[in-house]
């Protein structure tokens, strides 16, 4: 079936560097994408979202890029900090026309080293 | 602060017993809530959609008689794992969408770690 997937299971970066986490999706009908951060033993925390009519959205230290042509989503974290260490999931809403259930990707663990 | 509260945070139960997990939206009403299951180092897997006032919608492969869902009010959904067995041990997470000024955002509970011994 259709699914959301990630290229890299683990990403190690130095503190202060920029991080890029990638995600590939296969459902062309998806119109809403979200990035979540999950720390150990906790529920997912919303980071940033983007709708399919946009290709870029910026937040505080984070940027999400959407390339609908190749069905690719990325999360960029600027000046990565130790507190950014967590597992990051992309999620898609595969049903157009309103909010519905989310389909999650496999996740990428981000490890930030001092 | 948290907008979706899940209780308990962790529970240990004996094999064969049932366990109830609560998911509450704290400052908004949610006609729909979602229940996920997460195995260690894995992603969230959607189990079911909880619908206030009607039956839950289960994803393919999820046993509805095993995982009973009740959405009795606009702020509370419960997941009951019936006749639990060790293979039911997992991290269970609920979410509730809240309509904001710009979009609808899904808020997640803190999760419940279930261990069946």
């Amino acid at each position: 079936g259709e699914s959301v997937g990630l290229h890299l299971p683990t990403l190690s970066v130095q503190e202060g560097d920029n991080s890029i986490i990638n995600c590939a999706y296969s459902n062309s009908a998806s119109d809403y994408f979200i990035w979540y951060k999950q720390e150990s033993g906790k529920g997912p925390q919303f980071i940033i979202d983007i709708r399919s009519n946009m290709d870029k959205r910026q937040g505080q230290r984070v940027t999400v890029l959407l390339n609908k042509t190749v069905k690719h989503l990325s999360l960029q974290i600027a000046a990565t900090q130790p507190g950014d260490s967590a597992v990051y999931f992309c999620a898609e809403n595969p049903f157009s026309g309103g909010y519905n259930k989310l389909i999650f990707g496999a996740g990428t663990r981000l490890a930030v080293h001092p | 602060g948290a907008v979706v509260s899940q209780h308990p945070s962790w529970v240990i139960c004996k094999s064969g017993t049932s366990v109830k997990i609560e998911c509450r939206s704290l400052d908004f009403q949610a006609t729909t809530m979602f229940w996920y299951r997460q195995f260690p180092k894995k992603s969230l897997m959607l189990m079911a959609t909880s619908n206030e006032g009607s039956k839950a919608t289960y994803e393919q492969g999820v046993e509805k008689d095993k995982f009973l869902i009740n959405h009795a009010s606009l702020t509370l959904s419960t997941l009951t794992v019936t006749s639990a067995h060790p293979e039911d041990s997992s991290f269970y997470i609920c979410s509730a969408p809240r309509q904001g000024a710009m979009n609808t955002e899904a808020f997640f509970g803190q999760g419940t770690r279930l261990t069946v011994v």
Side-chain angles (χ1 to χ4, degrees):
Chain A
E2 294 181 310
S3 64
V4 177
L6 290 173
H7 297 303
L8 299 173
T10 305
L11 177 65
S12 295
V13 299
Q14 291 294 123
E15 181 179 358
D17 288 351
N18 296 332
S19 303
I20 300 176
I21 301 172
N22 296 303
C23 177
Y25 67 95
S26 57
N27 192 326
S28 57
S30 294
D31 65 349
Y32 181 54
F33 305 87
I34 313 103
W35 280 101
Y36 287 95
K37 173 185 180 182
Q38 186 180 30
E39 297 175 317
S40 181
K42 297 182 180 179
Q45 177 185 1
F46 174 92
I47 300 174
I48 192 167
D49 60 358
I50 189 168
R51 295 204 170 274
S52 58
N53 61 351
M54 304 172 66
D55 54 19
K56 181 179 180 179
R57 189 159 188 234
Q58 288 185 297
Q60 186 177 15
R61 282 202 306 120
V62 295
T63 301
V64 55
L65 299 178
L66 175 62
N67 186 330
K68 294 182 289 294
T69 302
V70 296
K71 298 177 185 174
H72 184 267
L73 194 69
S74 69
L75 175 70
Q76 300 178 359
I77 304 174
T80 314
Q81 302 169 0
D84 295 326
S85 295
V87 177
Y88 290 81
F89 295 98
C90 64
E92 64 175 329
N93 174 17
F95 305 97
S96 61
Y99 182 84
N100 210 309
K101 56 189 178 184
L102 298 176
I103 307 300
F104 281 79
T108 294
R109 178 172 297 280
L110 177 64
V112 182
H113 303 287
Chain B
V3 296
V4 174
S5 177
Q6 204 171 323
H7 177 81
S9 297
W10 60 270
V11 57
I12 301 173
C13 70
K14 291 184 177 180
S15 186
T17 62
S18 295
V19 174
K20 180 184 287 186
I21 303 169
E22 294 184 346
C23 180
R24 295 181 183 273
S25 56
L26 298 182
D27 60 356
F28 66 101
Q29 294 180 335
T31 57
T32 303
M33 293 186 180
F34 301 93
W35 287 96
Y36 294 84
R37 182 175 182 176
Q38 187 177 31
F39 290 103
K41 299 183 180 180
K42 297 293 184 182
S43 186
L44 283 73
M45 181 189 73
L46 181 66
M47 298 175 65
T49 302
S50 176
N51 304 300
E52 189 271 333
S54 64
K55 293 182 178 180
T57 306
Y58 290 82
E59 295 299 302
Q60 189 174 8
V62 178
E63 300 178 60
K64 61 181 180 181
D65 294 330
K66 173 69 149 178
F67 301 100
L68 299 179
I69 292 173
N70 184 25
H71 197 146
S73 77
L74 288 170
T75 61
L76 174 64
S77 174
T78 61
L79 169 68
T80 301
V81 183
T82 64
S83 187
H85 288 92
E87 57 265 30
D88 298 323
S89 299
S90 192
F91 194 54
Y92 293 88
I93 308 171
C94 70
S95 79
R98 185 178 74 176
Q99 179 67 44
M102 298 295 291
N103 60 4
T104 299
E105 185 176 331
F107 289 91
F108 286 81
Q110 67 268 42
T112 297
R113 171 84 51 201
L114 170 62
T115 303
V116 184
V117 297

